């Protein structure tokens, strides 16, 4: 009681701003570098494939720290860990921008990812504690702005900074934000009395197995498609190693007295169901975020910055709706919001699956804007319901696993979508090519028209013949690619609809708010 009495009262919205500065910065860095990769590769005399390690190294280090954030907060203190993370992230950002070679950049991206890995679960735990139970919807609405909007704005900001200045400013922009976050954390964030170091010692086996399992899995997901998945011996070996390490980790954590990650939190059906839903939300959200830029840039010829702006409506919809949903959440059953969000998001994905190569900006704008609204209906209630029955002293551990599985879902979504684009594209190409024969009057007529056009521009008949075949094959590949995109959007739409029954498993948060608050 004395520790609680000594803790000064701070307006929870000031606390929210303090912790969200760093979190927004960290989430933004998961996508802001994407559009800068060609510039990074060019300035460092590296290939694009080599430059992608600047992304993979960050995500792997981030994933390894996420699940042990709750334990680290108890070991070092939540406020101290938060400040250490912000300092490490900011300093690493400076050296990433200053890096003269690709290996040095990758080293500091690892440090940046490891330092930033704790920011998401820490900010969520701090917000859930700072706000009373009846206002947690507002808190999660504000938190959701950073988690959902930041990845969408990343390509826009990254493209603008790269075009207007240099790719190095993608990292330098973090420095003033990090300084502001550090100062506000120092002044306004305080540790609760139940944060204390375990007397059972450090679970070194748990930390090691988790690092090998999560790190290996993340590398497999990021590099699998590039290496043709299990046709690559090192991808197959790494996948088996990751599975064995994760299986051993689960067995070890359920038996040890002082686990680095308390997996028993999954006994609560509301939390486990909510975590599954968030994993699938990450799968669809990040998967569709990969599809649209490829569509816009490779098929419609959008420059990278314009493609980033074309994705902004989704962020705009979320930015508008999240505060409103957070404010209304205490007055209605959050599960109804969640079910409505799944249905609306499914409809918007189905709308995207009906577009074609003649689609204009507004054809992409409205489905994405409405999808942004639906993400608010999904993200805010889901986070609030999932955490509603978790005791405060276990909030850090629960938030760590919640954020880890959302990120893994996103990685699986990106890997799955890129694989489906390639495989569906091959299948569609083979299907369409079967119709390009001399016996198909339409195909033969188009080939003849192309050949005549080439000859009219000065090509010899035999050259024009080969050129017309090449042009026809290009059209076939273009149509095969757009068909694969439409098929994937339909699959993502069905996934959201299939998740609706899971909402019925979750318990209404209002019934558990009292006991959680009194803990």
């Amino acid at each position: 009681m004395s520790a609680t009495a000594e803790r000064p009262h701070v307006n929870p919205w000031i606390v929210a701003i303090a912790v969200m500065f760093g979190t927004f910065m960290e989430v933004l860095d998961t996508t802001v570098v994407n559009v800068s990769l060609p510039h990074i590769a060019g300035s460092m005399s590296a290939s694009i494939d080599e430059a992608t390690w600047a992304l993979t190294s960050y995500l792997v280090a981030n994933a390894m720290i996420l699940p042990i954030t709750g334990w680290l907060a108890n070991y070092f203190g939540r406020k101290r860990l938060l400040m250490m993370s912000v300092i490490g992230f900011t300093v690493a950002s400076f050296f990433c921008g200053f890096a003269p070679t690709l290996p040095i950049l990758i080293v500091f991206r690892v440090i940046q990812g490891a330092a930033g890995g704790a920011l998401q679960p820490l900010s969520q735990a701090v917000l859930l504690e700072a706000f009373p139970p009846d206002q947690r919807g507002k808190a999660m609405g504000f938190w959701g702005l950073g988690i959902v909007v930041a990845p969408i704005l990343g390509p826009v900001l990254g493209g603008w900074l790269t075009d207007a200045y240099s790719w190095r400013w993608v990292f330098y922009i973090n420095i003033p934000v990090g300084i502001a976050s550090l100062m506000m954390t120092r002044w306004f964030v305080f540790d609760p009395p139940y944060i204390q170091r375990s007397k059972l010692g450090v679970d070194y086996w748990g930390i090691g197995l988790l690092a090998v399992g999560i790190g290996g899995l993340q590398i497999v997901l990021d590099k699998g498609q590039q290496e043709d998945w299990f046709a690559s011996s090192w991808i197959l070996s790494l996948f088996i190693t990751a599975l064995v390490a994760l299986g051993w980790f689960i067995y070890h954590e359920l038996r040890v007295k002082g686990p680095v990650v308390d997996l028993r939190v999954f006994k609560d059906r509301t939390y486990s169901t909510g975590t599954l839903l968030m994993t699938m939300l990450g799968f669809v959200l990040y998967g569709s975020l990969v599809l649209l830029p490829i569509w816009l840039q490779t098929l419609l010829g959008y420059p990278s910055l314009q493609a980033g702006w074309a994705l902004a409506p989704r962020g705009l919809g979320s930015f508008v709706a999240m505060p409103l949903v957070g404010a209304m959440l205490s007055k209605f059953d959050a599960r109804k919001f969640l079910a409505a969000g799944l249905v609306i998001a499914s409809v918007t994905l189905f709308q995207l699956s009906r577009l074609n190569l003649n689609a204009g900006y507004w054809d992409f704008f409205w489905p994405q804007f409405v999808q942004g609204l639906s993400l608010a209906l999904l993200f805010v209630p889901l986070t609030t319901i999932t955490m509603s029955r978790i005791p405060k002293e276990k909030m850090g551990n629960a938030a760590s696993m919640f954020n880890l599985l959302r990120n893994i879902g996103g990685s699986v979504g990106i890997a799955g979508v890129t694989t489906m684009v390639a495989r569906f594209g091959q299948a569609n190409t083979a299907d369409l090519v079967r119709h390009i024969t001399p016996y198909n009057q339409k195909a033969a007529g188009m080939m003849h028209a192309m050949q005549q056009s080439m000859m009219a521009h000065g090509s010899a008949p035999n050259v024009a013949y080969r050129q017309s075949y090449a042009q026809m094959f290009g059209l076939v590949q273009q149509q095969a690619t757009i068909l694969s995109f439409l098929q994937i959007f339909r699959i993502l739409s069905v996934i959201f609809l299939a998740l609706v029954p899971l909402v019925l498993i979750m318990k209404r948060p209002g019934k558990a708010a009292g006991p959680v608050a009194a803990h």
Side-chain angles (χ1 to χ4, degrees), residues 23 26 110 122 192 272 283 307 338 383 400 421 462 506:
T23 301
E26 187 271 331
V110 170
L122 283 178
S272 56
F283 179 96
L338 183 54
T383 309
S400 299
V421 166
N462 60 331
M506 307 178 78

Side-chain angles (χ1 to χ4, degrees), residues 104-363:
I104 293 176
L105 173 62
I106 292 173
V107 168
F108 284 107
R109 281 288 280 176
V110 170
I111 297 172
Q112 190 188 38
L119 292 175
Q120 292 181 50
L122 283 178
S123 63
Q124 186 179 12
V126 168
L127 285 176
L128 287 169
E129 181 192 286
F131 286 80
D134 61 338
Q135 294 186 31
R136 285 179 180 169
K138 297 178 182 178
M140 290 300 97
F142 185 71
W143 188 72
L145 286 177
I147 301 301
V148 174
V149 176
I152 299 171
L153 293 183
V156 180
L157 180 61
W160 176 73
L161 287 171
T162 301
D163 290 345
Y165 301 98
S166 146
W167 65 264
R168 298 183 185 276
W169 281 94
V170 169
F171 299 107
Y172 290 148
I173 195 69
N174 292 332
I175 296 172
V177 180
I179 293 172
S181 175
L182 181 63
M183 294 174 66
M184 293 191 71
T185 302
R186 175 69 180 84
W187 294 334
F188 302 121
V189 176
F190 300 93
D191 280 349
Y194 53 79
I195 293 290
Q196 55 185 346
R197 183 177 300 184
S198 172
K199 298 179 180 180
L200 297 175
V202 180
D203 180 17
Y204 292 109
W205 273 103
I207 295 174
L209 290 169
L210 184 66
V212 173
I214 294 296
L217 181 62
Q218 189 69 53
I219 293 174
V220 168
L221 292 173
D222 288 346
K223 293 293 182 180
Q225 172 59 22
Q226 181 182 320
E227 301 291 334
D228 198 20
W229 293 104
F230 299 135
S232 167
S233 58
W234 80 272
I235 288 289
L236 178 60
S237 301
L238 192 59
F239 180 70
I240 294 173
T241 302
L243 284 185
V244 171
L246 288 175
W248 190 0
F249 168 78
I250 293 171
Y251 175 77
H252 173 78
E253 294 301 285
L254 291 175
R255 291 173 58 88
V256 71
K257 290 185 177 180
V260 70
V261 177
D262 186 3
L263 299 177
R264 294 172 182 84
V265 70
F266 286 101
K267 289 182 177 180
D268 185 283
R269 80 180 192 200
T270 298
Y271 175 80
S272 56
T273 305
T275 304
L276 173 61
L277 284 170
M278 182 54 75
T279 304
M280 298 307 300
L281 176 58
F283 179 96
V284 176
L285 173 62
Y286 283 90
S288 58
L289 274 177
V290 168
L291 278 181
L292 284 174
I294 299 174
W295 184 341
L296 294 170
Q297 293 181 73
T298 61
L299 298 179
L300 301 184
Y302 279 50
S304 58
L305 181 58
Q306 278 66 36
W309 279 114
L311 298 176
R314 190 189 306 197
L316 178 62
S318 297
F319 186 81
V320 170
M322 279 195 176
L324 297 177
V325 174
M328 294 188 297
L329 206 57
S330 61
K331 301 176 183 178
F332 302 96
D333 188 346
R335 295 172 297 178
K336 295 180 179 178
F337 282 95
L338 183 54
L342 288 169
V343 173
I344 295 172
S346 176
V347 171
T348 60
L349 290 166
F350 182 74
Q351 287 179 318
L352 289 172
S353 75
R354 301 182 66 187
L355 299 181
N356 54 44
L357 292 173
N358 297 319
Y361 176 80
W362 294 105
D363 295 313

